[in-house]
Amino acid sequence: MRRPLRHRQVSSHHKKKKKHDLLDALPDDVVVSILSKLTSTASSPCDLINVLSTCKRLNRLGLNRVVLSKAGPKLFAIKAKNWSESAHRFLRNCVNAGNLHASYTLGMIRFYCLENRESGLSLMAKAAMKSHAPALYSLAVIQFNGSGGTKGDKDLRAGVALCARASLLGHIDALRELGHCLQDGYGVRQNVAEGRKLLVQANARELAFVLRAVARSSSSASLLTWRNTLSNHSSSASSVSSAVCPLLSDYGYSVAVPEVQPANWFLREWFESGRGRLGNGLRLCAHIGCGRPETRPHEFRRCSVCGKVNYCSRGCQALDWKLRHKMECSPAEIWPLEEDGGGAVVVGGGGGDGVGNDVDVRNGVV
């Protein structure tokens, strides 16, 4: 008769070793370094939220100033419907940690959504002084339109200077804006040849961005898929950036829909969802990737042909013309002039019949 098998005795030392968490063996500075890398490459706020909810130690280290200062722009892609005092406090903590993306995002939200103009400008200026290109360009748009003030508060020279700084940092929209300013003599001495040169450079950078996106794509079939993000604003910002526009660019290539900045996407969601309310006669910029609202009636200029769309800047007009409006624009039968002309600039090449302060979009893309 065989003896029954005896269960092996497990020592208490072995049990403790089995339950030991290797994370506890890592020094705090190593964990902070790992978390900093995570936040700088995060694709959404959930990446950090999942870490903070893991354990007390990661929650404490995840809110370390070093980690918050390294956070990338996509970590601040907060949905307007989820806006709360907790989200506001998190952005303030990131700003206090020296994060430029947080300064820009919170500045845009305060200036346009919460209508705290002074604080919003201060935060965007804080990021701009540290050479944050989107903040520089946003300040330029505000200067061109006199946003938050009256028509007399426009400062065209300051807008051109801010665009020039942003373009040197590689901001395509700022470079395109600067090219139109030089071409039309808006806020700067007119130089048609130099303006057209800058517009060509902007298109070349846009094309380079598309080619890099194609090279990174694992499947060429995905480039043939077009999701109608223009009519469905409720889709996520990531779906907008991954879509491909069926239109042809100036060089005959398929143009990828530009990635929407989290701050701009928040603005559009905020007003289109009803969370924020536009005053009487105020409109949003017609470009899907902008979301900027007017701060006074007729601040933006509208298309001189159809009179149905309006833009806060040349950059938004040029992108929306290639993306959508070129196929939809048709002359309006009756279009009365507005008393208070807009604060944007005339966009387009020569030969347009733009009236007053309106945007001539038919020849708007060089």
Side-chain angles (χ1 to χ4, degrees):
M1 183 176 179
R2 296 182 60 185
R3 289 184 177 180
L5 293 175
R6 296 178 59 186
H7 295 288
R8 188 176 62 172
Q9 295 290 334
V10 180
S11 64
S12 60
H13 174 73
H14 182 76
K15 288 181 179 180
K16 291 181 180 180
K17 186 176 180 180
K18 188 175 182 180
K19 293 181 179 179
H20 181 69
D21 191 346
L22 295 178
L23 179 64
D24 294 336
L26 294 176
D28 282 359
D29 56 348
V30 174
V31 178
V32 166
S33 178
I34 295 173
L35 293 177
S36 299
K37 181 64 176 180
L38 171 68
T39 56
S40 64
T41 59
S43 58
S44 71
C46 293
D47 291 349
L48 180 60
I49 293 174
N50 292 334
V51 170
L52 298 180
S53 60
T54 301
C55 65
K56 291 183 178 180
R57 188 186 184 207
L58 287 181
N59 185 283
R60 174 175 58 85
L61 296 179
L63 297 177
N64 185 281
R65 288 179 61 89
V66 176
V67 176
L68 297 181
S69 67
K70 301 293 184 180
K74 292 184 179 180
L75 189 68
F76 306 116
I78 303 170
K79 293 184 178 295
K81 64 179 181 181
N82 297 331
W83 179 254
S84 63
E85 181 55 35
S86 297
H88 199 167
R89 184 168 57 252
F90 172 72
L91 281 171
R92 289 200 305 266
N93 291 338
C94 292
V95 170
N96 294 333
N99 191 294
L100 301 183
H101 303 300
S103 294
Y104 167 65
T105 302
L106 186 56
M108 290 281 282
I109 292 174
R110 284 185 177 177
F111 184 86
Y112 287 109
C113 300
L114 306 182
E115 297 187 9
N116 189 342
R117 314 291 189 199
E118 185 177 354
S119 176
L121 281 175
S122 176
L123 287 170
M124 283 188 276
K126 182 178 181 179
M129 287 188 292
K130 298 292 185 178
S131 299
H132 188 269
L136 286 165
Y137 179 64
S138 291
L139 289 175
V141 173
I142 290 174
Q143 294 293 342
F144 281 134
N145 295 321
S147 300
T150 65
K151 185 179 178 181
D153 291 326
K154 295 189 295 183
D155 191 338
L156 306 186
R157 291 182 178 274
V160 171
L162 289 166
C163 275
R165 287 186 59 190
S167 64
L168 291 175
L169 296 171
H171 199 281
I172 298 176
D173 290 344
L175 182 61
R176 183 178 284 113
E177 193 87 15
L178 184 61
H180 280 293
C181 287
L182 283 168
Q183 184 174 254
D184 301 337
Y186 191 79
V188 67
R189 188 173 182 178
Q190 187 175 26
N191 189 331
V192 178
E194 186 64 23
R196 292 184 65 87
K197 179 181 177 181
L198 293 181
L199 291 171
V200 171
Q201 290 181 13
N203 288 330
R205 290 186 185 181
E206 184 182 59
L207 178 59
F209 169 80
V210 174
L211 294 179
R212 285 196 298 269
V214 172
R216 289 194 299 265
S217 176
S218 59
S219 173
S220 59
S222 63
L223 297 176
L224 303 178
T225 302
W226 167 250
R227 283 170 287 185
N228 191 9
T229 56
L230 299 174
S231 61
N232 183 16
H233 296 165
S234 62
S235 60
S236 64
S238 59
S239 65
V240 176
S241 62
S242 62
V244 176
C245 179
L247 303 179
L248 295 179
S249 73
D250 304 320
Y251 297 100
Y253 289 87
S254 294
V255 178
V257 177
E259 185 176 2
V260 179
Q261 289 285 337
N264 295 98
W265 194 256
F266 184 96
L267 297 184
R268 183 165 293 278
E269 282 188 338
W270 180 267
F271 291 104
E272 291 189 344
S273 66
R275 186 76 185 267
R277 296 186 180 276
L278 290 170
N280 292 333
L282 301 184
R283 304 162 293 185
L284 290 177
C285 178
H287 175 44
I288 180 65
C290 179
R292 290 183 178 87
E294 291 180 316
T295 61
R296 67 176 187 277
H298 315 310
E299 179 182 335
F300 300 160
R301 295 182 180 181
R302 61 181 178 179
C303 175
S304 63
V305 179
C306 67
K308 298 177 182 178
V309 296
N310 52 278
Y311 303 101
C312 68
S313 63
R314 288 176 170 84
C316 285
Q317 181 274 332
L319 289 172
D320 191 61
W321 175 254
K322 290 192 291 184
L323 189 65
R324 175 179 63 93
H325 193 59
K326 185 177 183 180
M327 299 183 294
E328 300 176 354
C329 187
S330 59
E333 295 181 2
I334 300 177
W335 180 43
L337 291 175
E338 297 171 342
E339 295 180 1
D340 182 12
V345 289
V346 176
V347 180
D353 60 349
V355 180
N357 292 312
D358 308 305
V359 179
D360 183 6
V361 298
R362 293 177 299 171
N363 300 311
V365 180
V366 176

